[in-house]
Amino acid sequence: KDGSNFEDVKTDSYYYDSVKWANGLGITEGTDKTHFSPDAVCTRAQMVTFLWRMAGKPEAKLETCDFDDVDLDGYYGKALLWALENGITNGTSASRFSPDAVITRGQMVSLLYRFGGSPETAEQPVFEDVSTEAYYYDAVIWAYATGITKGTTASAFDPDGGCTRAQIVTLMYRYSIR
């Protein structure tokens, strides 16, 4: 199984190799047998699940969490506990994880950055819309410096913009081959 299994993933698309990689390793599947749905949004629950699968589905020691909006028996339950235990994610508030919310670009690079151990970088800011006080500042600088992501323009990152499935697997793929 790989990216060539999907009618909506063309060999000349920027995400073809990424989808092939993610699907081949079982990090993500299609939305059905013949579609990947590259332009569909990716949720916060899906993102932690993809990272958990990328890590090899490790078992968490953590068995509960304080979020009142999660289903720990759902497809993302084990992934969320693992991500919380390892400091990869946190909630959108003290009592909410917002599993079905579309993951933003700022959130996505933050999770990937923490997944990678929060490495330091000496790079300087390049995006006008990324404040040095933002929780995602270091993650954006790191992701840009390592070539994992670019901005939406030469001077903008769009940290509050939502991420598609194609964007998520592309950034994860770039992370894996850097």
Side-chain angles (χ1 to χ4, degrees):
K1 62 183 190 178
D2 64 33
S4 61
N5 295 342
F6 302 116
E7 296 172 7
D8 56 356
V9 178
K10 305 298 180 206
T11 56
D12 61 349
S13 63
Y14 79 87
Y15 48 81
Y16 176 80
D17 290 337
S18 305
V19 171
K20 186 175 178 179
W21 167 82
N23 191 46
L25 292 176
I27 293 169
T28 185
E29 299 172 352
T31 52
D32 64 37
K33 291 184 184 215
T34 58
H35 296 89
F36 181 74
S37 303
D39 298 325
V41 296
C42 189
T43 67
R44 290 172 48 82
Q46 290 169 337
M47 181 68 189
V48 296
T49 302
F50 295 167
L51 287 173
W52 176 67
R53 290 175 183 162
M54 188 171 164
K57 300 181 183 179
E59 287 293 324
K61 293 179 182 72
L62 190 64
E63 295 179 358
T64 63
C65 69
D66 294 332
F67 302 129
D68 59 21
D69 65 343
V70 300
D71 177 7
L72 292 178
D73 293 324
Y75 76 90
Y76 62 88
K78 289 181 179 184
L80 176 59
L81 291 174
W82 165 82
L84 288 168
E85 181 177 278
N86 288 282
I88 294 168
T89 193
N90 47 39
T92 54
S93 73
S95 63
R96 300 188 59 76
F97 176 68
S98 304
D100 298 324
V102 175
I103 193 159
T104 67
R105 290 173 50 82
Q107 291 169 347
M108 183 270 311
V109 295
S110 294
L111 268 63
L112 195 56
Y113 174 69
R114 293 178 199 137
F115 176 82
S118 303
E120 290 191 32
T121 181
E123 291 291 317
Q124 297 299 310
V126 293
F127 301 116
E128 295 171 1
D129 59 352
V130 177
S131 165
T132 57
E133 290 84 36
Y135 73 87
Y136 47 77
Y137 176 80
D138 289 338
V140 171
I141 299 306
W142 164 79
Y144 180 80
T146 57
I148 292 170
T149 190
K150 301 173 188 166
T152 53
T153 69
S155 62
F157 181 73
D158 189 21
D160 297 324
C163 292
T164 65
R165 290 170 50 85
Q167 292 168 335
I168 294 292
V169 297
T170 298
L171 272 59
M172 291 176 69
Y173 176 68
R174 289 177 185 160
Y175 169 85
S176 76
I177 61 169
R178 72 183 191 342

